[in-house]
Amino acid sequence: MTGEDFARILFPRIDIWRQESGSDIGDHSKAAKEFLYSVLPYMSEVMVQDGVLWMRNHPNNPSAKLLDRLLHGKTGQVNYTTWCQQKFIEIKNKVQRHEAKMKAEEDLIGMLAEDR
């Protein structure tokens, strides 16, 4: 899913706001267009990504509960809570692999420096 997809879920009136902005009496400013077409989709994507940690660390927070309710059934085969748990494990594993790689590189540099 894209930021645009998430924006439509998290801000269900976004298409109406866009139509209103483009109407004769709407706000035709560059700021309005940027907000409706760039900022809200980007912010929606960030909210969903950050939701992984919100759901883990603050599951009773109103924002986490709202994300869970709005995204229920929208994240593929699993509900949002399960999706967040899976993403957290993926992130944790990726961090561990990165740290192991960095450690191996540091060890190799240390060995090369000793051989001089």
Side-chain angles (χ1 to χ4, degrees):
M1 293 184 82
T2 66
E4 184 66 32
D5 297 324
F6 291 129
R8 285 200 165 90
I9 294 167
L10 300 178
F11 302 100
R13 295 182 46 94
I14 193 169
D15 290 323
I16 294 169
W17 300 337
R18 289 172 174 170
Q19 288 174 352
E20 289 173 349
S21 175
S23 73
D24 291 340
I25 59 170
D27 185 346
H28 298 257
S29 69
K30 183 177 179 182
K33 286 186 174 96
E34 285 293 317
F35 183 75
L36 291 170
Y37 290 92
S38 296
V39 173
L40 285 180
Y42 178 76
M43 184 174 72
S44 299
E45 191 168 358
V46 170
M47 288 169 59
V48 171
Q49 291 170 353
D50 287 356
V52 170
L53 294 179
W54 292 347
M55 294 298 290
R56 179 170 175 78
N57 299 331
H58 311 286
N60 294 318
N61 179 284
S63 296
K65 286 183 175 186
L66 180 62
L67 273 176
D68 191 33
R69 184 174 56 80
L70 291 173
L71 292 169
H72 186 77
K74 308 283 188 192
T75 49
Q77 301 292 334
V78 296
N79 65 34
Y80 184 64
T81 303
T82 303
W83 182 84
C84 286
Q85 292 167 346
Q86 292 170 346
K87 291 298 174 187
F88 182 81
I89 292 168
E90 287 176 26
I91 292 165
K92 184 178 175 183
N93 290 339
K94 188 173 186 176
V95 167
Q96 287 173 342
R97 285 191 307 272
H98 176 74
E99 288 174 346
K101 180 182 175 187
M102 296 301 294
K103 174 80 170 95
E105 289 175 3
E106 288 172 7
D107 291 347
L108 179 61
I109 290 169
M111 287 178 11
L112 292 172
E114 289 175 3
D115 288 343
R116 286 186 169 191

